[in-house]
C-alpha cells in the first residue's frame, strides 16, 4: 500500500493527508462529544439543556460520590499508564517527528480519561484530548503517506488545531491557535493546510455537535466609552491571568507521576467533591460558571468563587490529573471582566457588563495562551458575537500583550 502511495506526486500526497486528517479529526470530535455526554449522563442522570440544572438535580451526595470514585479510578489509571508508557505532549510530538512515535493506544486511553473526568465534573478543560488525538492521527497519516519530516511537523500542528476546531466549532480561532500557540511558521502553504484541516474537521463534526455557540449571550454592542473599559480591564485583569498562567504551568511541570499520585489525586478529588456537594457552580471545566455569569445569574462572593475555581484547577493538575486550561481561563476571564465593570459602576462609571465579560475573557485567554488573536476569535466564537466587536477586543488584547511582555522581561 505504501509503495502505491509513494508513486503519487508528493504535493498530492500532502493534500490527501490533510483531507484525511480533517475528516479523521472531525470524527474524533464526535467521539469526544459522545464520550463526554455519556459520562455526564451515567454520572448525573438524564441530560439537560442546562448543565447546571443537571448537576443540581443529581443532588449533593451523588456529586460527591461521583468525584470521589473518579479520583480513585483516574489515579490508578494514570499511575499504571505512565509507569508503562511515555506520554508525549503535542510540542514533543512536533519536535520528535521522524525520530520517535507516540504509543497510539496509550495516548488514546490518556485522551479518553481526560474527557471522562471532565464529564464527571473535574475542574480542568476538555480541549487537551481532541488536540492530542488530532496530533497523534496526523503523525500516523504523515508516516503512512511517506511525508518528509518538515511536512510531518506541519501536519501534527494541523491535527492539534483541527481537534480543537471540531470540538468547539471554532475553525478560524483554531487556525490562529496553530500559528500563535504552537508556533507554526507562517507560509501560504502552511496557511492553506491549516485552514483546510480545521474547517473540514468542523464541517464533519457539525452534524452531531451542532452550529450553535457554546455560550448563550445576546448581541453585544460597543461605543466610545468601550475604549476606556478595554483599557481598565486590560490593566486589572492581565495580572490575574499571569498569576493563573504561572500556577497552571508550575502544576504541569511538577505534576505527580510516581506512587504519590495514588493518594494525592483521590485527595484532590475529595476536596473538590466536598465543595461541589454544597456549591455545584464549581462543577466541571468552568462552562457552568461562565454561562451563569453570561446569563446574569447572581453568584454570591464572586471574587472568592473565582479564586477557588482557579485553585481547584491547580490542585488537580498538580496532583496528577491531565486536562486543558482553556475553558477555565475563559470562565475566569468572564468573571474578572464582570468584576472590573462592577467596580467601575460603584465609582459612578456605568458600562456594559456583557462587553466587560467579553473583554475580560479576551485578556485572560490571550495571556494564558500567549495568543491575543486566538483569544479574540475564541471569545467571539464561543458566544456567537459578530466581528463588529473586534475593535475594543483588539485594544484590550494589545494592551494585555504589552503588559505580559514587560512582565516576562523583568523575570
Amino acid at each position: 500500500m505504501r509503495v502505491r502511495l509513494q508513486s503519487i506526486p508528493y504535493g498530492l500526497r500532502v493534500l490527501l493527508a490533510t483531507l484525511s486528517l480533517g475528516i479523521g479529526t472531525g470524527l474524533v470530535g464526535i467521539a469526544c462529544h459522545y464520550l463526554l455526554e455519556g459520562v455526564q449522563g451515567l454520572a448525573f442522570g438524564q441530560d439537560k439543556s442546562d448543565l447546571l440544572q443537571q448537576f443540581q438535580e443529581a443532588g449533593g451526595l451523588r456529586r460527591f460520590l461521583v468525584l470521589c470514585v473518579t479520583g480513585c479510578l483516574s489515579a490508578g489509571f494514570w499511575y499504571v499508564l505512565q509507569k508503562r508508557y511515555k506520554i508525549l505532549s503535542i510540542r514533543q510530538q512536533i519536535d520528535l517527528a521522524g525520530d520517535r512515535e507516540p504509543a497510539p493506544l496509550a495516548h488514546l486511553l490518556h485522551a479518553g480519561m481526560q474527557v471522562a473526568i471532565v464529564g464527571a465534573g473535574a475542574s480542568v478543560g476538555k480541549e487537551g484530548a481532541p488536540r492530542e488525538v488530532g496530533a497523534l492521527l496526523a503523525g500516523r497519516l504523515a508516516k503512512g503517506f511517506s511525508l518528509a519530516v518538515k511536512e510531518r511537523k506541519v501536519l501534527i500542528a494541523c491535527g492539534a488545531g483541527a481537534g480543537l476546531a471540531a470540538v468547539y466549532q471554532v475553525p478560524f480561532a483554531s487556525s490562529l491557535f496553530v500559528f500563535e500557540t504552537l508556533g507554526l511558521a507562517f507560509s501560504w502553504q502552511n496557511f492553506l493546510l491549516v485552514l483546510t484541516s480545521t474547517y473540514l474537521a468542523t464541517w464533519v463534526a457539525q452534524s452531531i455537535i451542532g452550529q450553535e455557540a457554546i455560550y448563550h449571550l445576546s448581541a453585544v454592542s460597543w461605543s466610545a466609552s468601550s475604549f476606556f473599559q478595554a483599557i481598565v480591564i486590560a490593566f486589572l485583569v492581565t495580572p490575574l491571568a499571569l498569576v493563573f498562567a504561572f500556577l497552571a504551568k508550575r502544576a504541569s511541570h511538577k505534576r505527580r507521576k510516581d506512587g504519590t499520585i495514588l493518594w494525592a489525586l483521590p485527595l484532590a478529588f475529595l476536596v473538590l467533591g466536598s465543595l461541589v456537594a454544597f456549591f455545584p457552580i464549581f462543577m466541571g471545566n468552568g462552562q457552568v460558571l461562565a454561562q451563569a455569569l453570561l446569563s446574569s445569574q447572581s453568584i454570591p462572593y464572586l471574587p472568592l468563587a473565582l479564586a477557588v475555581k482557579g485553585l481547584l484547577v491547580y490542585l488537580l493538575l498538580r496532583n496528577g490529573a491531565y486536562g486543558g486550561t482553556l475553558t477555565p481561563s475563559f470562565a475566569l476571564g468572564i468573571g474578572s471582566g464582570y468584576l472590573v465593570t462592577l467596580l467601575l459602576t460603584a465609582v459612578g462609571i456605568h458600562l456594559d457588563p456583557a462587553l466587560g465579560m467579553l473583554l475580560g475573557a479576551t485578556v485572560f485567554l490571550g495571556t494564558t495562551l500567549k495568543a491575543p488573536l486566538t483569544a479574540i476569535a475564541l471569545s467571539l466564537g464561543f458566544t456567537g458575537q459578530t466581528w463588529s466587536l473586534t475593535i475594543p477586543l483588539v485594544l484590550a488584547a494589545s494592551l494585555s500583550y504589552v503588559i505580559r511582555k514587560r512582565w516576562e522581561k523583568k523575570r
Side-chain angles (χ1 to χ4, degrees):
M1 180 67 176
R2 185 174 294 183
V3 175
R4 290 183 180 180
L5 288 174
Q6 288 178 343
S7 65
I8 300 174
Y10 189 75
L12 184 56
R13 270 187 279 154
V14 173
L15 177 60
L16 290 174
T18 304
L19 294 174
S20 302
L21 176 63
I23 295 171
T25 46
L27 297 176
V28 167
I30 291 173
C32 289
H33 175 79
Y34 278 132
L35 176 58
L36 183 72
E37 287 201 337
V39 172
Q40 284 177 345
L42 179 65
F44 304 109
Q46 187 176 1
D47 184 26
K48 305 283 184 182
S49 57
D50 187 333
L51 191 56
L52 179 58
Q53 183 185 356
Q54 184 180 6
F55 291 145
Q56 288 173 331
E57 291 184 0
L61 179 61
R62 185 168 180 175
R63 293 194 296 271
F64 173 76
L65 293 175
V66 165
L67 283 164
C68 287
V69 171
T70 301
C72 294
L73 293 177
S74 60
F77 170 84
W78 270 311
Y79 174 70
V80 173
L81 188 72
Q82 292 175 107
K83 199 171 183 180
R84 298 187 60 183
Y85 299 99
K86 170 69 174 176
I87 302 298
L88 300 181
S89 66
I90 295 171
R91 172 50 57 191
Q92 289 173 324
Q93 291 186 49
I94 294 173
D95 293 340
L96 298 174
D99 296 326
R100 181 176 180 178
E101 295 182 13
L105 180 59
H107 280 73
L108 287 173
L109 292 173
H110 173 62
M113 180 56 76
Q114 291 181 58
V115 177
I117 66 170
V118 174
S123 292
V124 291
K126 66 180 180 180
E127 75 280 351
R131 292 199 318 239
E132 291 170 12
V133 177
L136 174 68
L137 176 60
R140 306 297 292 185
L141 286 170
K143 182 180 179 181
F145 280 94
S146 301
L147 302 185
V149 172
K150 178 183 176 182
E151 277 69 37
R152 287 190 187 191
K153 293 177 181 289
V154 172
L155 206 65
I156 292 172
C158 289
L164 180 65
V167 168
Y168 287 124
Q169 294 291 292
V170 284
F172 184 66
S174 301
S175 300
L176 294 174
F177 169 85
V178 173
F179 290 104
E180 281 193 298
T181 302
L182 298 182
L184 182 65
F186 181 83
S187 69
W188 285 110
Q189 177 178 304
N190 289 351
F191 182 66
L192 291 174
L193 293 178
V194 170
L195 285 181
T196 300
S197 57
T198 54
Y199 275 88
L200 182 56
T202 301
W203 179 77
V204 170
Q206 201 171 79
S207 60
I208 301 299
I209 296 177
Q211 302 181 51
E212 290 186 5
I214 299 174
Y215 300 95
H216 304 291
L217 179 66
S218 301
V220 179
S221 59
W222 64 278
S223 62
S225 61
S226 302
F227 293 114
F228 174 73
Q229 189 176 13
I231 293 170
V232 174
I233 286 176
F235 275 102
L236 295 182
V237 173
T238 302
L240 301 177
L242 286 170
V243 171
F244 178 74
F246 170 78
L247 291 175
K249 185 177 181 180
R250 182 181 177 84
S252 297
H253 285 171
K254 295 184 175 293
R255 180 184 283 116
R256 296 180 187 271
K257 298 179 182 180
D258 57 12
T260 60
I261 191 179
L262 294 175
W263 63 264
L265 190 56
L267 183 60
F269 270 93
L270 176 64
V271 172
L272 175 61
S274 301
L275 190 61
V276 302
F278 300 97
F279 306 104
I281 196 70
F282 293 113
M283 286 289 290
N285 57 6
Q287 182 177 344
V288 168
L289 177 60
Q291 186 57 67
L293 288 167
L294 291 169
S295 302
S296 300
Q297 296 181 32
S298 176
I299 299 178
Y301 308 106
L302 181 57
L304 179 61
L306 295 177
V308 169
K309 186 64 179 179
L311 289 174
L312 288 173
V313 175
Y314 172 81
L315 184 67
L316 293 185
L317 294 178
R318 174 65 180 84
N319 288 292
Y322 283 83
T325 58
L326 190 154
T327 310
S329 293
F330 182 80
L332 293 174
I334 289 285
S336 300
Y338 180 68
L339 282 176
V340 172
T341 305
L342 287 185
L343 179 63
L344 292 172
T345 302
V347 297
I349 304 173
H350 298 278
L351 298 166
D352 184 6
L355 179 59
M357 288 188 280
L358 290 178
L359 290 168
T362 301
V363 167
F364 217 100
L365 282 172
T367 303
T368 55
L369 294 176
K370 296 185 177 181
L373 296 179
T374 304
I376 294 169
L378 284 174
S379 295
L380 295 175
F382 280 172
T383 57
Q385 300 300 308
T386 65
W387 287 94
S388 62
L389 284 178
T390 302
I391 295 176
L393 296 186
V394 166
L395 176 59
S398 300
L399 283 174
S400 177
Y401 174 82
V402 172
I403 295 170
R404 175 173 63 83
K405 283 297 183 181
R406 290 200 171 188
W407 182 80
E408 290 174 349
K409 284 182 180 180
K410 291 181 179 180
R411 290 189 64 193

